[in-house]
Amino acid sequence: MTDTLATARLLPTPDETWWRQAAVYQIYPRSFADSNGDGVGDLPGITDRVPYLVQLGIDAVWLSPFYPSALADGGYDVDDYRNIDPRLGTLADFDVMTQALHAAGIRLIVDIVPNHTSDRHEWFREALASPKGSAPRERYIFRDGAGPDGAEPPADWESTFGGPAWEPVGDGQWYFHFFAKEQPDLNWNNPEVRADFRRTLRFWSDRGVDGFRIDVAHGLAKDLGRTLPTQAELDALPKDGSHPLWDRDDVHEIYAEWRAVFNEYAPARTAVAEAWVASDRRARYASADGLGQAFNFDLLEADFDAGQFRDIIAFNLGLAAESGSSTTWVFSNHDVVRHATRYGLPARNGDVAKQGSQWLLSGGPASELDAELGLRRARAATLLDLALPGSAYLYQGEELGLQEVAHIPAAERQDPAFFRNPGVDMGRDGCRVPLPWTRTGPSYGFGAGGSHLPQPGWFTGYSVEAEDGVAGSTLSLYRAALALRSRLQAAESLEWMETGRADVLAFRRPNGWTSVTNFGTEAFTLPAGEVLVSSTALEAGSLPGAATAWLQA
């Protein structure tokens, strides 16, 4: 790789619809590349690796939080929404990175965390220093405690990370935090909160940011009422837009205000919602007068099964047509077990628990994981994903075929989910381990020093150096597929093709190319056409099991 690669593509054009079928690469900045050897990835490290991103062939980078933070939740506890964590760089470093990405033809999406601040945010410090009923406390959700002197929590609610969701402040009041106690929820009924976030959106848009990923987009609007329900009553309430905490219909009033801000720019800024809601309620988040796009996690939660994939694809293309947006496809991110590992574990078969969570809890035994099969299936699934109309969201390291890192000593773990749920949740550290760039070195090329999470010895074979230019490597597959995807991109539709087998899916895109995926074990005879790319070697013109191929008629 050379620096000339960074200018090999055209500057981003003022295209209002660039996001509709973009290939977006998620960077978890603390684990991508470390420029100063302190063990933590940083913004200059990303700038240094722009040539790698160009060669990969992505259209945009989604940057996970880079704000000042105590890292109580991996950066999703934000101290200051309009600044950079000094461990990651400066605002000047951010500008240099943005310019380098844009010069390379790569757009930038940044994470916004509007449901809660950190407990170190100036607003929350002011709230704690102010009396009950004061304006600073009205920016958050404070309630009087129950029992004598308010010594009991206002309700028995549980945090999603485990433990109570209400925290006392010592004066008879408690504050609500749906996540860690270091993440107090904001009161989005407060006009000051709404105005400040509009200022934040403009701040980053003015610095050249092309779009935003909205964390917990379904959680902002809340209506707790005078009397709080119990946890059991809360769990039993319908998710129909009237729930006190989740997916309320009035959350879309907030996003209509944000859309007005996005439309102040040319091209208009885009956004994608992280909204864990019922599939039939996702379309409103993706509407043209709202955020514009919403994450579709359905394939992420599916087994490697042809029937499930076809139903999910057809359903979500229908939702996209309903909202006027394009759909999104994702298999891995910073919150879930990597899909190369999930596909090597037994099928979920309807289990609602996150796939891989029990395997991690049991110590990640090698006897239960078929890593080779998992990677083979992951490559096939990703190649199918990249053939679909809509946006493809990729997570750093999946282009190397990285497996989940299961064995991390308790003393070196960082995720609050692990510490707040002992014996119940191993947390998300295993997918956040810093990337391996070289076969050797103190951190496999991540930086000149160590890495903030321990890297296993098997990383050497998954490093960029080990896979770069190697025919058949996962990195070579991603590069080839992304280059073809850019060249073959067509209208946002597909036509299903009959294959004669329930375990084989095939569809044709409008400009005459075809994707075929064999979810079974027996080889499938491919239709006539030139094979453009395949996730594994073909067998005498036939597609083996757990494989995908693209063909041009």
Side-chain angles (χ1 to χ4, degrees):
M1 295 181 290
T2 66
D3 289 343
T4 57
L5 285 171
T7 56
R9 301 169 72 193
L10 296 175
L11 290 169
T13 57
D15 178 3
E16 296 281 353
T17 62
W18 66 266
W19 50 272
R20 294 188 67 93
Q21 298 202 74
V24 183
Y25 183 85
Q26 181 189 359
I27 290 179
Y28 190 74
R30 290 171 174 81
S31 296
F32 186 68
D34 171 19
S35 70
N36 60 10
D38 66 356
V40 178
D42 46 42
L43 301 187
I46 296 170
T47 303
D48 290 343
R49 299 294 183 177
V50 167
Y52 173 80
L53 299 173
V54 172
Q55 193 170 8
L56 186 59
I58 59 167
D59 300 304
V61 161
W62 155 25
L63 195 61
S64 289
F66 47 84
Y67 311 105
S69 171
L71 303 182
D73 183 21
Y76 285 86
D77 48 314
V78 178
D79 298 348
D80 181 350
Y81 289 90
R82 296 186 286 274
N83 212 336
I84 307 292
D85 190 318
R87 290 166 292 189
L88 273 63
T90 64
L91 283 168
D93 291 327
F94 181 90
D95 293 340
V96 170
M97 178 196 68
T98 303
Q99 291 162 9
L101 289 168
H102 283 174
I106 298 173
R107 290 177 170 85
L108 178 61
I109 297 169
V110 300
D111 233 313
I112 292 292
V113 188
N115 180 70
H116 47 264
T117 71
S118 80
D119 60 354
R120 305 196 315 177
H121 191 283
E122 62 178 358
W123 276 5
F124 194 70
R125 295 200 306 268
E126 184 182 5
L128 293 183
S130 301
K132 293 190 292 184
S134 62
R137 289 206 177 182
E138 286 301 311
R139 297 171 181 146
Y140 294 89
I141 300 174
F142 280 86
R143 281 295 183 95
D144 290 332
D149 302 319
E152 299 296 326
D156 65 342
W157 296 356
E158 297 175 1
S159 159
T160 193
F161 286 154
W166 292 91
E167 192 73 15
V169 297
D171 61 3
Q173 283 208 313
W174 301 59
Y175 69 87
F176 174 66
H177 58 93
F178 195 83
F179 296 93
K181 67 178 183 179
E182 295 88 355
Q183 295 169 292
D185 280 44
L186 285 162
N187 172 19
W188 274 87
N189 292 320
N190 188 320
E192 189 178 2
V193 171
R194 295 195 182 201
D196 195 71
F197 269 88
R198 292 195 299 272
R199 179 184 171 198
T200 293
L201 296 173
R202 291 189 178 98
F203 178 88
W204 294 110
S205 295
D206 290 343
R207 299 192 92 91
V209 164
D210 302 284
F212 301 90
R213 179 264 187 185
I214 313 304
D215 187 64
V216 196
H218 56 302
L220 276 58
K222 298 179 177 70
D223 184 3
L224 272 58
R226 292 180 176 275
T227 303
L228 302 182
T230 65
Q231 182 67 58
E233 291 169 338
L234 197 63
D235 292 342
L237 292 173
K239 305 293 196 307
D240 60 358
S242 63
H243 193 276
L245 302 179
W246 291 122
D247 187 30
R248 293 183 54 78
D249 287 337
D250 49 349
V251 75
H252 299 289
E253 298 172 9
I254 298 168
Y255 298 136
E257 295 176 358
W258 287 19
R259 174 48 55 189
V261 173
F262 299 152
N263 289 347
E264 294 172 2
Y265 295 84
R269 298 319 189 228
T270 187
V272 57
E274 183 210 26
W276 289 90
V277 299
S279 297
D280 60 357
R281 291 188 58 81
R282 192 184 302 137
R284 287 195 66 184
Y285 292 88
S287 66
D289 57 357
L291 294 175
Q293 198 172 53
F295 276 124
N296 155 29
F297 298 116
D298 296 349
L299 282 183
L300 183 153
E301 297 187 302
D303 295 325
F304 187 76
D305 176 85
Q308 291 183 42
F309 268 57
R310 177 161 179 163
D311 289 347
I312 287 169
I313 292 166
F315 179 74
N316 281 282
L317 289 177
L319 284 183
E322 174 188 336
S323 68
S325 181
S326 64
T327 193
T328 61
W329 311 106
V330 57
F331 287 110
S332 285
N333 61 33
H334 64 293
D335 280 337
V336 298
V337 172
R338 289 185 176 275
H339 68 291
T341 295
R342 297 200 313 270
Y343 286 147
L345 295 170
R348 296 178 71 185
N349 294 322
D351 187 349
V352 297
K354 284 187 177 181
Q355 190 177 26
S357 58
Q358 292 302 313
W359 177 73
L360 289 175
L361 277 171
S362 62
S367 60
E368 295 180 14
L369 173 66
D370 188 336
E372 182 179 351
L373 176 62
L375 177 55
R376 184 183 177 99
R377 286 175 167 175
R379 287 163 55 108
T382 295
L383 197 54
L384 181 155
D385 167 355
L386 293 176
L388 292 169
S391 297
Y393 281 79
L394 312 173
Y395 179 53
Q396 66 178 43
E398 70 171 78
E399 77 277 13
L400 304 175
L402 285 185
Q403 300 280 340
E404 185 82 359
V405 179
H407 304 109
I408 300 174
E412 297 188 65
R413 289 190 175 272
Q414 300 172 9
D415 193 345
F418 170 76
F419 297 104
R420 293 176 66 92
N421 290 282
V424 176
D425 191 342
M426 292 302 294
R428 301 157 293 178
D429 294 319
C431 65
R432 301 177 178 184
V433 175
L435 295 189
W437 293 91
T438 59
R439 289 187 177 93
T440 59
S443 61
Y444 297 103
F446 169 66
S451 62
H452 67 94
L453 283 168
Q455 300 162 301
W458 51 262
F459 260 27
T460 183
Y462 288 82
S463 65
V464 174
E465 182 182 23
E467 297 192 26
D468 189 15
V470 176
S473 72
T474 303
L475 180 57
S476 294
L477 173 65
Y478 269 69
R479 286 172 173 170
L482 286 165
L484 281 166
R485 183 180 190 271
S486 179
R487 177 166 66 84
L488 296 169
Q489 200 140 103
E492 294 174 35
S493 62
L494 59 76
E495 176 190 357
W496 293 106
M497 302 169 61
E498 290 300 324
T499 65
R501 280 177 47 176
D503 59 358
V504 177
L505 286 188
F507 55 85
R508 183 182 294 110
R509 293 298 301 277
N511 57 356
W513 63 287
T514 299
S515 174
V516 183
T517 302
N518 184 352
F519 288 82
T521 56
E522 295 184 10
F524 175 77
T525 301
L526 288 169
E530 176 192 359
V531 176
L532 302 175
V533 65
S534 60
S535 64
T536 193
L538 302 184
E539 299 173 354
S542 294
L543 187 66
T548 295
W550 296 356
L551 301 93
Q552 182 77 59

